Amino acid sequence: RGGKVDNSGPAMAGPGEKGHPLVTGKGCNIMGAVNRSSTRSVDERQRLSFWMRGSNEIGGVDARALGAGVFDGVVATRHLGPLIVFDLAASPHRAAWTRDLIDKADRCSIRLRFQRQGRSYLEQDGVRSLICAGQWSVLDGTRPYAMFNQEWARHISLQIPLTELSTREFEIA
């Protein structure tokens, strides 16, 4: 109590400044701002096309609503250097990573996907798997795949560009 604060030591770098823990040596931010998007304020007839345009940030998808209800979705994305993490929740729909999208992509990724709520069917190379809340999956972005949410579902994904994966062998001990 009543003591003086010593500010004479080295100053800590602030966000966006070189020397800050989230900035590389080249001064580039490795952790971007969180971008949030929702279809709730979009006209019901335009929601799916709005959703597909917004998906371009993660490479794009071909999305189709399932069932007779109105499509609804919310997503939060953040860039972590070359990686992308996103938290997505949506009403019943199908989202596909097609051969056409792969051919147009500037880079392909591996997607680590954790199911937080609901259930999703994932299909790749003719194999269909049911992923329930609490389970995770890995999708290879060099090959087409599709995801089917037949109910409201939520997942968080980490998208890792293949260029970031090392072919070097590492010794653990």
Side-chain angles (χ1 to χ4, degrees):
R1 281 201 248 166
K4 283 183 98 178
V5 176
D6 179 8
N7 289 327
S8 63
M12 291 290 293
E17 297 176 332
K18 189 172 180 179
H20 188 271
L22 299 179
V23 177
T24 67
K26 296 178 183 175
C28 300
N29 286 325
I30 61 170
M31 183 181 291
V34 175
N35 296 313
R36 299 179 198 284
S37 186
S38 172
T39 60
R40 292 192 179 130
S41 63
V42 177
D43 181 273
E44 292 179 1
R45 296 167 297 188
Q46 301 299 317
R47 287 182 176 188
L48 205 54
S49 61
F50 171 83
W51 188 253
M52 289 191 340
R53 282 191 312 274
S55 75
N56 288 332
E57 184 173 347
I58 59 169
V61 294
D62 177 19
R64 306 272 185 257
L66 297 177
V70 174
F71 179 78
D72 192 22
V74 293
V75 66
T77 60
R78 173 175 257 167
H79 288 262
L80 304 171
L83 313 180
I84 302 172
V85 64
F86 57 97
D87 186 353
L88 182 144
S91 61
H93 74 289
R94 172 191 178 273
W97 177 241
T98 64
R99 175 57 53 199
D100 187 48
L101 288 169
I102 293 168
D103 292 343
K104 291 177 183 175
D106 58 344
R107 62 184 180 182
C108 286
S109 300
I110 295 294
R111 185 172 288 170
L112 305 174
R113 188 177 178 280
F114 179 73
Q115 190 81 20
R116 297 182 70 184
Q117 181 181 1
R119 299 177 306 162
S120 297
Y121 287 94
L122 299 176
E123 188 173 301
Q124 189 167 44
D125 297 330
V127 176
R128 182 182 266 200
S129 301
L130 175 63
I131 310 298
C132 299
Q135 296 180 321
W136 62 277
S137 59
V138 178
L139 295 161
D140 178 356
T142 65
R143 300 187 323 267
Y145 61 81
M147 180 215 47
F148 304 86
N149 289 338
Q150 295 176 333
E151 60 189 88
W152 183 268
R154 182 177 182 192
H155 70 271
I156 190 166
S157 292
L158 176 64
Q159 193 165 294
I160 306 167
L162 293 177
T163 56
E164 297 300 314
L165 298 177
S166 175
T167 57
R168 295 178 290 172
E169 293 185 28
F170 294 95
E171 290 186 31
I172 305 248

